[in-house]
Amino acid sequence: MDEIATATRPRATQGSDTDPLFQPYRLGPFNLRHRIMMAPLTRSRARQPGNVPSSLAACYYAQRASAALIVSEATQVSMQGQGYAWTPGIHSREQVEAWQRVAKAVREAHGLIFNQLWHVGRISHPALQPDNMLPVAPSAVIPEGKAFIENERGEGELVPFVRPRALNIEEMPYIVAQYERAARNAQAADFDGVEIHAANGYLLDQFIETGTNRRTDTYGGPVENRARLLFEVAEALMPIWGPDRIGVRISPMGKLNDIHDENPEATFGYVAERLSDYGFAYLHMVNPALEQMQNGQEPDPKAMNMVRLIRKKYKGTLIVAGGFQADTAAKWLREGMADLIAFGRKFIANPDLPERIRLGAPFNVDDPTTYYGGGEKGYTDYPTLAQDRGEQPKACVDQRWR
């Protein structure tokens, strides 16, 4: 922690420039205090065996309950849906009971938390699959890159992806049923809602985008077919949660996990317009200009055109995540390009991020070597301003949360 505490700390923007971030907002049945959300962040710290959220996770999320809304780390809907070592699921009784502790801790800290439902599709490996089976996908296309698995020594290891198995059309109801069961489990775990993960090159996105979907049946070809599985999942979840407690995440023009589409404007314009008809709580978009904004560059005009297209097509609440500083987030809100802004990595190191932005206080610097795996270091030991001032006890460590 010392090396982080003594590193150069960027300062948040203070004053009227950030005022739009601190306007209240009505999101479905919820009255949000401000517009600063916590984006889903994979941390690979689930207890083994069983990929169960640890008690330390309850501390981690409760620390960040000042976010207007927390979207949990991506949570696999089934054993088949897992793509990384040590990520939590929501398909077993033990997992549901552990998530109950997380949701309770967030609620006691006066926060809101949605569970992000996740099936990785081809972004997996037989070592992560039940009975060492092949990962599944819309089509048998090998992704570039490597899978993060646990090796025989219990260590994290990167290994090449394998060719996935193309799903049979008869299996589609089974995929939908995985999401349906997970949504019921999220309700049993006392989450405030769920987010359907249809972004970042995972299964639903693999069906949506042309680079990964080469099917010729009713789940391939025109965008109406490629988006069919997403809408089947959405419709299955509506009787469980009601539309105003469901969100959907998409990543138009995204490149993560070797994904691409030959006509992203047509594809995601259609998806956004169709989703608008459901009356969901929100559409959560990964910022198409993320890379440029992270690097302090002017956003690419094509990326900004995509943002404007989604804003036009989707009539409900639009959340945008990725690449924002406090001033750029406020600017996007002021110009109507988003209704809420989701911050990811800044929340890792700054559990009280909204207060730091409001006061223009220094930010803690995150330590990327502790993003994935491990215990409390780089997870629950980042201090709040109040802890720095000695007004609150030190951040959570193992003892009472294990």
Side-chain angles (χ1 to χ4, degrees):
M1 192 63 209
D2 288 342
E3 68 273 19
I4 296 173
T6 57
T8 301
R9 292 183 171 191
R11 181 170 291 276
T13 303
Q14 187 176 18
S16 60
D17 286 349
T18 62
D19 284 352
L21 288 166
F22 293 95
Q23 299 302 312
Y25 190 81
R26 178 78 176 181
L27 181 72
F30 308 110
N31 291 314
L32 306 185
R33 295 162 286 180
H34 53 75
R35 312 284 183 104
I36 302 169
M37 273 184 51
M38 178 174 163
L41 292 157
T42 294
R43 305 304 308 274
S44 291
R45 281 169 164 82
R47 272 196 296 117
Q48 304 301 316
N51 292 315
V52 179
S54 72
S55 295
L56 203 60
C59 170
Y60 168 76
Y61 284 110
Q63 286 176 333
R64 289 152 181 81
S66 64
L69 170 68
I70 295 171
V71 180
S72 80
E73 62 206 276
T75 307
Q76 54 253 17
V77 297
S78 65
M79 293 174 69
Q80 183 192 68
Q82 183 179 2
Y84 302 82
W86 314 319
T87 54
I90 192 157
H91 51 83
S92 74
R93 184 177 66 180
E94 190 177 12
Q95 290 165 350
V96 172
E97 291 173 351
W99 278 120
Q100 280 179 326
R101 292 191 287 273
V102 172
K104 180 181 178 183
V106 172
R107 189 167 296 110
E108 288 177 348
H110 309 292
L112 293 169
I113 183 168
F114 276 34
N115 184 215
Q116 190 187 61
L117 305 180
W118 188 36
H119 192 308
V120 301
R122 68 178 189 157
I123 305 301
S124 187
H125 189 273
L128 299 164
Q129 293 288 307
D131 300 321
N132 293 108
M133 295 187 293
L134 289 174
V136 298
S139 304
V141 181
I142 304 175
E144 292 186 5
K146 294 185 176 182
F148 180 59
I149 69 166
E150 181 179 350
N151 63 24
E152 295 176 353
R153 300 182 297 279
E155 302 164 339
E157 183 177 341
L158 290 170
V159 296
F161 286 120
V162 301
R163 186 178 299 278
R165 176 179 67 81
L167 284 160
N168 297 318
I169 195 166
E170 294 82 8
E171 295 178 275
M172 298 307 179
Y174 172 65
I175 297 294
V176 175
Q178 291 180 35
Y179 283 91
E180 186 175 9
R181 179 185 63 182
R184 294 188 187 281
N185 285 345
Q187 198 169 58
D190 295 326
F191 281 99
D192 295 296
V194 291
E195 180 177 284
I196 301 168
H197 196 345
N200 295 344
Y202 298 117
L203 184 66
L204 297 179
D205 197 22
Q206 290 161 29
F207 270 89
I208 290 168
E209 304 210 37
T210 58
T212 42
N213 187 336
R214 301 179 184 175
R215 302 176 73 92
T216 57
D217 58 17
T218 54
Y219 289 87
V223 64
E224 294 83 359
N225 287 354
R226 288 181 278 118
R228 185 184 305 275
L229 184 59
L230 167 60
F231 294 118
E232 288 178 347
V233 168
E235 289 166 11
L237 269 53
M238 286 178 68
I240 302 169
W241 278 100
D244 60 358
R245 290 175 181 260
I246 297 173
V248 178
R249 195 178 212 218
I250 61 172
S251 55
M253 298 178 67
K255 300 175 183 176
L256 190 64
N257 291 319
D258 193 22
I259 198 81
H260 67 276
D261 188 87
E262 61 189 14
N263 191 346
E265 292 81 7
T267 293
F268 288 98
Y270 171 80
V271 169
E273 191 168 33
R274 277 287 311 276
L275 286 172
S276 190
D277 295 337
Y278 287 90
F280 286 152
Y282 61 81
L283 179 62
H284 185 180
M285 177 172 61
V286 179
N287 185 359
L290 183 153
E291 288 184 24
Q292 297 99 45
M293 291 176 65
Q294 277 184 338
N295 296 327
Q297 301 168 347
E298 279 296 311
D300 181 271
K302 290 183 179 179
M304 296 311 297
N305 287 340
M306 177 62 78
V307 174
R308 295 184 186 98
L309 174 67
I310 301 302
R311 173 88 272 190
K312 178 181 177 182
K313 295 289 187 179
Y314 189 77
K315 305 303 182 185
T317 295
L318 180 64
I319 300 165
V320 184
F324 289 100
Q325 303 296 331
D327 56 349
T328 52
K331 181 176 185 287
W332 279 48
L333 293 177
R334 192 179 297 112
E335 295 179 357
M337 290 190 290
D339 298 301
L340 302 167
I341 300 292
F343 290 87
R345 292 178 183 178
K346 286 184 175 60
F347 260 116
I348 288 178
N350 300 280
D352 56 346
L353 181 64
E355 183 182 8
R356 289 176 186 268
I357 292 175
R358 184 177 61 83
L359 296 176
F363 291 166
N364 295 326
V365 179
D366 53 314
D367 178 3
T369 67
T370 60
Y371 281 175
Y372 308 113
E376 72 276 3
K377 181 173 175 56
Y379 190 52
T380 56
D381 62 345
Y382 288 107
T384 64
L385 290 170
Q387 288 163 343
D388 278 341
R389 294 191 298 258
E391 297 169 3
Q392 290 181 356
K394 290 183 179 180
C396 302
V397 291
D398 279 349
Q399 286 79 5
R400 75 185 185 99
W401 292 97
R402 283 295 184 194

